[in-house]
Amino acid sequence: MMPAAGAPGGGVAAVGGVNDTPPLQAVFVNPANQPQPPILVSANQEDEDDSISSNGKDCFGNERQALKDLERFFNNPLMSDIKLKVDFETFHAHKLVLVRSSEVFERMFSSDWTDPTKQEVELVEEPECTDIFPEFLRYLYGCHIKLTLENTLPVLMLADKYNVIDLRQVCICFATQNIIPKLPLKDVFHIWYQYATKCYHQRLIRACIIALSPKADDIISQQDWSQEWIALDKHQLIQFLKSSDLAVRNELTLFRALLKWLESPKYPERAKNMEVLLKELVEYIRFPQMTAEQLEHLERLRVVEQYYNLFLPHLLQAYKYNALTLEARANCKDAFSPKFMLRNYTDLRWDKRIVLSEYSKFGKFLEVMPRFSTRSSSYPHTSWDWEVKIYPKGSSSNNEDFRVVLYSNVVLDQPRAVEYMVSLVNSDEILTTVTGKKNFTKSRYFTDTDIDKKVTVDQLMADGSQYLVDDNLILQIRIKPIQ
């Protein structure tokens, strides 16, 4: 007979009479000599189906080792079915390898291009590409190349010529991170910007403009840069004018530089096509960023008087924008295009552009405090110092919102009422805007802009977030006194 649970021997002690006996409970006891099973706790709490379907399961070997093994066939006569002659050197190659990496080679070896039985093909390369061709060809076998300051551009030229997409991306990535930021600006302008714009490599173009932007004022106005500025072709000029990264005094200065390009005696065809060129190029001038005084000065320029009907819509839009309150600007449906975005203007103004670079590297609850100055009145042109406390990824464990707090860094003798506008922008448009009003005093010297009600940290950190430009978060802040 089984003993009751809890009694000596592992049963349960009986309580009360026979009718009070509790239900029998099963107890499982492992014998002392039985092996104890290991304990494994998985971080993955979800049930996984480890069964193999009737279609099987994809399994992959060591891809790096496979490429390394393939690389031994580089310039190897073993199994070679084509020879490539470059200058005075001949390389043993394999059609399958070449065609796998390049549709240009695929076309080249087709019967429509050449005799498929031909055993040797002569390739005509630029002089700077001839010496580097072995490294290029080796990459097609082993997917590996050592890039340097000297060889990156020739390798990129070969990657472009033969449309080797992955090698092209490798070269562009290396150039934007390791070459362009460290080169003298003249080399950036004459070598990399020229090539990038000729081949329409937008990432390279942007990297070049970012490198040139801090000296944009010198490039458009200094004598030692005048030849480079005038020699730009139209496409290169447009890429320059489109950029918000340019550090220039004001928009009127940039317009004057455009006129210098148009009226250059060295290129008389531009003057002959003045109206056509003006109609296209003034679209990239941000007239709303000019002050009323600058717009009035603009109207007196000879070229504006001559083509007044062409400029009139831009002038009216700019005057209207200047007259509107910041709240009205935010509600204006057509005020989100690049024309209404700030550049890095160096004049003392009522606004400022702020860039938080490498947003992904900011830690949680980190506080950054950029400072800037604006005008304090229409006249005299004295400054008003500001500080912006930005919490890119939350301000505390209790508040994980993206916050922007505006502080006045001036001890005010009397209250100053202002409007403020904070916007997040990308390269092409203003994405979101908040506005507000604040009466700043000695004791009330800051205001929370409440931008967290429009944008969340999750939106900023999302893959492919529209709010980030090359991992940079861009804000623009405008201040306007309330009369």
Side-chain angles (χ1 to χ4, degrees):
M1 179 176 177
M2 180 182 289
V12 177
V15 179
V18 174
N19 296 332
D20 296 329
T21 302
L24 188 63
Q25 299 180 12
V27 176
F28 300 95
V29 179
N30 287 323
N33 61 349
Q34 181 171 330
Q36 300 300 304
I39 298 175
L40 177 64
V41 180
S42 173
N44 185 3
Q45 298 299 317
E46 298 179 1
D47 292 333
E48 293 186 359
D49 184 6
D50 293 332
S51 61
I52 300 176
S53 69
S54 59
N55 295 327
K57 184 177 182 179
D58 289 327
C59 302
F60 298 92
N62 190 326
E63 295 180 7
R64 186 176 291 275
Q65 184 61 43
L67 288 171
K68 187 176 181 180
D69 292 341
L70 183 62
E71 191 174 357
R72 71 186 179 91
F73 289 96
F74 162 70
N75 200 19
N76 189 335
L78 180 64
M79 306 298 291
S80 173
D81 54 1
I82 191 69
K83 293 180 181 178
L84 303 179
K85 187 178 183 199
V86 181
D87 202 17
F88 297 107
E89 194 169 1
T90 300
F91 301 90
H92 295 280
H94 306 78
K95 290 182 180 179
L96 179 62
V97 174
L98 303 181
V99 169
R100 182 198 66 174
S101 303
S102 165
E103 63 182 22
V104 175
F105 278 124
E106 181 179 0
R107 179 70 174 167
M108 185 183 298
F109 297 141
S110 69
S111 57
D112 295 335
W113 187 316
T114 187
D115 182 0
T117 63
K118 195 173 183 179
Q119 298 298 306
E120 183 174 294
V121 174
E122 183 172 0
L123 304 177
V124 180
E125 308 297 349
E126 297 293 333
E128 59 267 39
C129 297
T130 301
D131 292 340
I132 207 68
F133 192 86
E135 283 80 357
F136 166 74
L137 186 59
R138 184 187 294 274
Y139 180 88
L140 303 187
Y141 284 80
C143 199
H144 168 263
I145 193 168
K146 181 176 286 187
L147 294 176
T148 66
L149 175 65
E150 292 75 22
N151 74 6
T152 301
L153 184 57
V155 172
L156 177 57
M157 293 168 65
L158 288 170
D160 282 334
K161 177 179 178 179
Y162 294 101
N163 198 26
V164 182
I165 297 173
D166 58 335
L167 180 56
R168 176 190 298 142
Q169 296 306 318
V170 167
C171 291
I172 290 176
C173 182
F174 184 81
T176 56
Q177 294 180 6
N178 300 285
I179 297 180
I180 293 173
K182 302 172 185 177
L183 276 182
L185 292 187
K186 290 277 187 176
D187 289 345
V188 174
F189 192 95
H190 285 289
I191 299 173
W192 285 97
Y193 188 58
Q194 299 297 320
Y195 184 80
T197 50
K198 290 292 190 296
C199 296
Y200 299 97
H201 289 318
Q202 288 300 321
R203 187 177 173 189
L204 266 184
I205 291 171
R206 175 164 171 76
C208 291
I209 289 179
I210 288 175
L212 295 166
S213 288
K215 294 293 183 182
D217 241 345
D218 292 343
I219 293 171
I220 66 178
S221 59
Q222 295 296 320
Q223 185 63 33
D224 60 337
W225 279 96
S226 61
Q227 294 304 312
E228 283 85 356
W229 176 254
I230 291 170
L232 290 172
D233 65 30
K234 186 181 71 172
H235 172 67
Q236 292 170 332
L237 177 66
I238 288 174
Q239 293 298 323
F240 208 81
L241 296 177
K242 284 169 64 176
S243 175
S244 296
D245 296 298
L246 302 184
V248 292
R249 284 189 57 198
N250 52 58
E251 200 69 19
L252 181 59
T253 301
L254 192 59
F255 179 75
R256 287 185 175 278
L258 171 58
L259 291 184
K260 183 169 71 173
W261 184 89
L262 286 166
E263 297 172 346
S264 171
K266 194 173 180 180
Y267 300 91
E269 67 278 5
R270 295 175 186 170
K272 292 178 182 178
N273 297 311
M274 178 68 75
E275 185 172 4
V276 174
L277 287 172
L278 268 177
K279 188 173 183 179
E280 180 177 2
L281 295 174
V282 295
E283 293 295 328
Y284 302 100
I285 297 296
R286 302 178 183 184
F287 293 97
Q289 306 313 318
M290 296 185 191
T291 65
E293 294 82 5
Q294 290 167 351
L295 290 168
E296 190 272 333
H297 181 82
L298 181 76
E299 287 192 83
R300 297 201 306 268
L301 295 177
R302 179 185 56 81
V303 68
V304 177
E305 292 178 344
Q306 184 177 352
Y307 301 101
Y308 193 74
N309 289 336
L310 188 153
F311 284 93
L312 185 58
H314 300 284
L315 292 169
L316 292 176
Q317 185 183 55
Y319 279 123
K320 175 185 175 182
Y321 189 76
N322 271 269
L324 291 175
T325 64
L326 297 186
E327 183 179 8
R329 293 182 192 181
N331 294 325
C332 190
K333 293 182 179 180
D334 61 349
F336 295 91
S337 70
K339 289 183 181 181
F340 302 94
M341 292 163 55
L342 297 174
R343 305 187 200 267
N344 291 321
Y345 299 116
T346 59
D347 275 354
L348 188 65
R349 298 164 51 92
W350 288 106
D351 44 48
K352 197 65 180 177
R353 182 175 184 265
I354 298 172
V355 179
L356 302 186
S357 63
E358 297 183 303
Y359 176 83
S360 61
K361 295 183 180 180
F362 282 99
K364 286 190 79 173
F365 315 139
L366 182 69
E367 175 185 282
V368 293
M369 296 176 289
R371 297 181 178 183
F372 66 97
S373 298
T374 67
R375 296 170 66 173
S376 63
S377 62
S378 299
Y379 186 83
H381 290 177
T382 54
S383 64
W384 188 345
D385 297 331
W386 300 88
E387 181 176 274
V388 187
K389 289 191 177 180
I390 304 173
Y391 302 89
K393 295 181 180 177
S395 57
S396 69
S397 57
N398 295 325
N399 189 340
E400 298 187 6
D401 296 326
F402 169 64
R403 295 181 63 207
V404 177
V405 184
L406 183 64
Y407 285 77
S408 170
N409 270 4
V410 173
V411 178
L412 300 171
D413 295 330
Q414 56 186 1
R416 293 288 307 274
V418 301
E419 279 189 289
Y420 61 85
M421 172 192 283
V422 179
S423 303
L424 293 182
V425 306
N426 59 19
S427 299
D428 305 309
E429 62 179 332
I430 297 173
L431 299 170
T432 190
T433 295
V434 292
T435 61
K437 298 176 181 179
K438 175 70 176 180
N439 192 28
F440 286 93
T441 66
K442 285 183 179 180
S443 58
R444 298 178 179 178
Y445 50 87
F446 70 92
T447 181
D448 194 326
T449 63
D450 289 333
I451 198 167
D452 55 289
K453 295 178 180 177
K454 291 287 191 76
V455 182
T456 66
V457 172
D458 287 342
Q459 288 176 305
L460 297 177
M461 296 178 63
D463 291 339
S465 173
Q466 64 171 336
Y467 295 99
L468 299 182
V469 180
D470 297 333
D471 202 25
N472 296 331
L473 182 64
I474 306 171
L475 300 87
Q476 55 184 42
I477 298 177
R478 299 182 188 271
I479 306 292
K480 190 172 186 178
I482 298 176
Q483 302 299 331

